[in-house]
Amino acid sequence: MSIEKLIVLAGGTAGCLIASRLANTASRPSVLLLETGENNDDLSFRRTYDKFRLVFSHPELDHGYISTPQTNLDDRRVAQVRGKGLGGSSQVNFQIWSLGARDEFDQWATLVEDQGWAFDAIVQRVKKIENLHCEDIPVAYSSIVNPKKENHGYEGDVDVSIGPFFEREIDHIFDAAREHGATINTDVNSGNPLGFGLPPHTSWQGKRTSAASAFIYRQRPENLKILTASRVTRVLVNGNRAVGVEVGGNQIFTATKEIIVTAGAIDSPRLLLLSGIGPRNDLKRLGITVAKDIPGLGRSLTDHPTVFLTYHMTHGFSDRHEFDSNPNMVASASEQYTLEGDGPLNQHYSTVPTAFFKSESSYHSRQFQSLGRETKDLLQKPTVPHYEFALCGPLLPATYAIANANDGYFNFFVALQNSQSRGSVQLQSSDPDDPPLIDPNYLGNEYDVLVLIEAVRDALNYMETPTMKRYRKHAIHAPQSADDKVILKFLKDNVSGLWHPSGTMKMGSQSDRASVVGSDFKVHGYENLRVADLSVTPILPRFVSTPS
């Protein structure tokens, strides 16, 4: 048995930050950070060049979860990718550093009656951890990216960057955006994300910034103890206090002050359910002793339902494939990167433009009118997007063969924002070794279907702009027409999540039976048990940044 003042579970994006901040406070308390996975600080895990393929080439970095059969997707089961190891999902994501819309955070603050969650407060906290490197943006690109100093931090621990290298396809993408009639947004983290923009990415000089690299590796104090390969199976509670945790079913760690759960929107509810905290009837059905009846725990799961579109492009659009398909070029660049930290690996896959749009036409639909007043008000606020394009993605499906090395491809993701569908995370048994039952309930709301069909149609129209038609050879993976039924079939066959699960430990007042934690992260009914990760969001803003 080990006695600590504070225990943080687990070592993902939020856990690394919180454990570091607590350990570095003036009182220097003893902090224990427990993580199921391993320490993955090897350079091979941190190359920006590998950001789209890392989770697939290293399955040990993923928990391997899969959804229950999705009723609205013809009972298809969908992978629920979630990073495993120090840094969590920040070590396997696509590295987009993106804040949410002002109106979304302001709505969050209203819902939880705490202005600390309003956009102006959030951006000040994010600025403290952000270190934006953008001093070398070429003048030629100032018309598409020009971050305003007041919106960003320049002295924090999280290295993020824009430029100085811009991949060849960037010019074509923004030319097509103008032809598409879209606004160019030169600072997507201003609180208004709408339009085509180029966000910073969590990388600098070709090297991924993870929560572990930012908050653990460079500044770990002696009073922060980290145990990897340590899976927490239960939180131990006594009355209204959390007193310790069980690891691996046989090892106990006790906490004299607080226990902070940061295991994410899937494993945070799973862990508390195994501990007897959650909906009474669900726990009793599995033979778990009820410690606290919290009906909303594990409910309200949401994500950004997404499909990808891929096109075979002719020579001149991009040089990604020309480089990727030449083993000698890749090997030479890898050697240069290892020896010098520079070269082609710092250039390819270095930019991910995004575009956010409103669906004005949906306001007149029957589906929109069926939504609640509060939801309709939020969706009509000026900075709130309804769908997203995330461009310059990887070649998908990866099995597609481009015979001519001089040709290229263009891939982008089409993602629904502010999904109205809600799912759940539940236990299938009281055995901690059994994976959870994850039901994202994709396309479970008819308004989601309406907007995502419109979003895909807009993507098809974008591919009809003169610039895209000039380089487009043929579709590799896309609907065959813009007809509603054709697009709907495409969605049913291909929708997945964007790896942004949220909402299962919803923040709100104790009078809200759907909520689990207060605005101070404390679990209802407990003095010293908190949950502090993306499971607590009462709505899912379109942010992908590290929580602060």
Side-chain angles (χ1 to χ4, degrees):
M1 177 182 289
S2 173
I3 301 176
E4 314 290 342
K5 279 194 174 180
L6 298 146
I7 298 178
V8 179
L9 329 164
T13 307
C16 287
L17 185 155
I18 290 170
S20 173
R21 289 292 190 264
L22 291 172
N24 281 287
T25 55
S27 62
R28 287 292 192 268
S30 59
V31 180
L32 174 62
L33 176 62
L34 295 165
E35 165 56 34
T36 300
E38 302 288 352
N39 181 345
N40 304 309
D41 192 35
D42 189 86
L43 182 63
S44 64
F45 292 106
R46 297 191 51 201
R47 304 191 316 180
T48 296
Y49 173 73
D50 297 317
K51 67 181 173 186
F52 288 125
R53 59 175 66 91
L54 188 63
V55 72
F56 305 108
S57 60
H58 289 276
E60 71 274 16
L61 300 181
D62 176 26
H63 282 264
Y65 292 148
I66 193 165
S67 76
T68 58
Q70 293 298 284
T71 303
N72 306 300
L73 307 182
D74 296 332
D75 288 337
R76 188 162 52 86
R77 289 160 59 91
V78 181
Q80 303 293 299
V81 174
R82 177 177 170 271
K84 181 180 180 182
L86 276 185
S89 293
S90 71
Q91 66 178 344
V92 296
N93 64 17
F94 293 166
Q95 299 184 239
I96 301 174
W97 180 258
S98 179
L99 278 177
R102 173 179 292 277
D103 289 313
E104 290 173 336
F105 277 108
D106 289 351
Q107 176 73 358
W108 182 335
T110 298
L111 289 172
V112 302
E113 300 178 346
D114 185 342
Q115 287 304 302
W117 291 99
F119 180 81
D120 286 338
I122 290 290
V123 76
Q124 293 307 313
R125 296 206 292 273
V126 171
K127 284 166 66 174
K128 291 180 180 179
I129 65 173
E130 179 182 31
N131 186 9
L132 174 62
H133 303 271
C134 61
E135 57 276 4
D136 296 325
I137 295 175
V139 174
Y141 288 96
S142 61
S143 64
I144 64 171
V145 57
N146 186 20
K148 296 178 177 63
K149 190 173 182 62
E150 62 266 25
N151 296 331
H152 299 275
Y154 298 87
E155 299 179 354
D157 298 311
V158 180
D159 287 310
V160 301
S161 61
I162 307 173
F165 184 83
F166 290 79
E167 296 175 86
R168 178 187 292 180
E169 53 263 44
I170 295 300
D171 291 323
H172 306 316
I173 286 167
F174 280 86
D175 285 344
R178 294 182 184 97
E179 295 164 357
H180 193 56
T183 301
I184 305 301
N185 188 335
T186 58
D187 188 352
V188 297
N189 286 348
S190 66
N192 183 356
L194 297 176
F196 271 78
L198 195 60
H201 62 133
T202 52
S203 181
W204 187 41
Q205 298 179 337
K207 195 173 185 180
R208 176 190 288 271
T209 303
S210 71
S213 72
F215 303 114
I216 299 296
Y217 301 143
R218 70 169 61 165
Q219 56 179 349
R220 177 179 171 184
E222 291 183 359
N223 55 309
L224 173 56
K225 183 190 301 183
I226 299 174
L227 296 180
T228 56
S230 300
R231 184 166 66 91
V232 179
T233 49
R234 288 180 180 84
V235 175
L236 307 176
V237 297
N238 183 6
N240 61 355
R241 291 189 59 82
V243 297
V245 297
E246 176 187 87
V247 174
N250 55 16
Q251 192 173 11
I252 302 296
F253 295 91
T254 61
T256 60
K257 192 170 183 182
E258 292 207 12
I259 294 175
I260 304 164
V261 180
T262 57
I266 294 174
D267 276 324
S268 285
R270 176 193 188 191
L271 178 59
L272 292 196
L273 288 167
L274 287 167
S275 308
I277 303 170
R280 177 185 300 276
N281 291 339
D282 291 0
L283 296 171
K284 291 180 70 174
R285 187 181 70 252
L286 297 175
I288 298 174
T289 301
V290 179
K292 191 77 66 177
D293 178 23
I294 303 182
L297 195 149
R299 307 304 198 243
S300 300
L301 174 63
T302 187
D303 197 344
H304 292 139
T306 303
V307 291
F308 68 85
L309 277 63
T310 308
Y311 291 84
H312 189 135
M313 309 298 276
T314 60
H315 178 65
F317 181 80
S318 169
D319 55 8
R320 283 185 175 189
H321 177 66
E322 184 177 355
F323 177 79
D324 285 345
S325 63
N326 189 321
N328 293 331
M329 291 176 65
V330 174
S332 176
S334 297
E335 183 178 358
Q336 181 181 356
Y337 177 86
T338 302
L339 294 174
E340 304 172 9
D342 203 353
L345 292 197
N346 288 11
Q347 301 169 1
H348 294 285
Y349 302 98
S350 63
T351 42
V352 182
T354 59
F356 291 89
F357 305 97
K358 294 185 81 69
S359 172
E360 303 279 358
S361 63
S362 72
Y363 296 151
H364 309 290
S365 69
R366 172 187 57 79
Q367 293 89 337
F368 180 79
Q369 296 305 321
S370 70
L371 301 174
R373 180 184 57 80
E374 191 175 79
T375 299
K376 290 190 289 187
D377 288 346
L378 174 64
L379 292 172
Q380 292 180 92
K381 290 184 182 296
T383 67
V384 173
H386 299 155
Y387 60 93
E388 171 193 9
F389 299 165
L391 306 105
C392 290
L395 176 59
L396 293 172
T399 53
Y400 180 79
I402 300 177
N404 185 346
N406 291 327
D407 280 357
Y409 65 90
F410 176 55
N411 170 277
F412 62 116
F413 296 86
V414 180
L416 180 72
Q417 306 295 290
N418 286 284
S419 172
Q420 299 305 305
S421 304
R422 294 294 181 268
S424 64
V425 173
Q426 297 177 282
L427 300 179
Q428 60 174 308
S429 79
S430 60
D431 186 345
D433 290 332
D434 285 339
L437 299 173
I438 307 167
D439 178 15
N441 190 27
Y442 295 126
L443 305 186
N445 184 285
E446 59 180 359
Y447 181 72
D448 291 354
V449 178
L450 175 78
V451 174
L452 198 47
I453 287 175
E454 179 180 333
V456 172
R457 182 180 294 110
D458 195 29
L460 297 176
N461 290 336
Y462 175 76
M463 293 305 299
E464 294 297 325
T465 58
T467 294
M468 287 300 174
K469 287 178 71 174
R470 185 182 314 130
Y471 292 102
R472 187 191 70 207
K473 204 166 187 178
H474 59 80
I476 298 171
H477 183 84
Q480 296 303 303
S481 81
D483 179 80
D484 278 11
K485 291 182 179 179
V486 173
I487 295 176
L488 180 58
K489 178 64 165 62
F490 183 80
L491 294 176
K492 286 179 175 289
D493 291 344
N494 294 285
V495 156
S496 64
L498 199 56
W499 308 354
H500 301 160
S502 176
T504 51
M505 308 283 283
K506 182 180 172 183
M507 185 180 288
S509 67
Q510 291 202 44
S511 61
D512 177 6
R513 288 179 58 80
S515 73
V516 179
V517 303
S519 64
D520 59 358
F521 301 107
K522 284 186 179 180
V523 177
H524 295 328
Y526 287 95
E527 296 177 356
N528 67 331
L529 176 62
R530 302 182 199 249
V531 177
D533 54 39
L534 287 188
S535 67
V536 307
T537 60
I539 59 174
L540 177 56
R542 49 142 298 270
F543 69 85
V544 203
S545 302
T546 306
S548 58

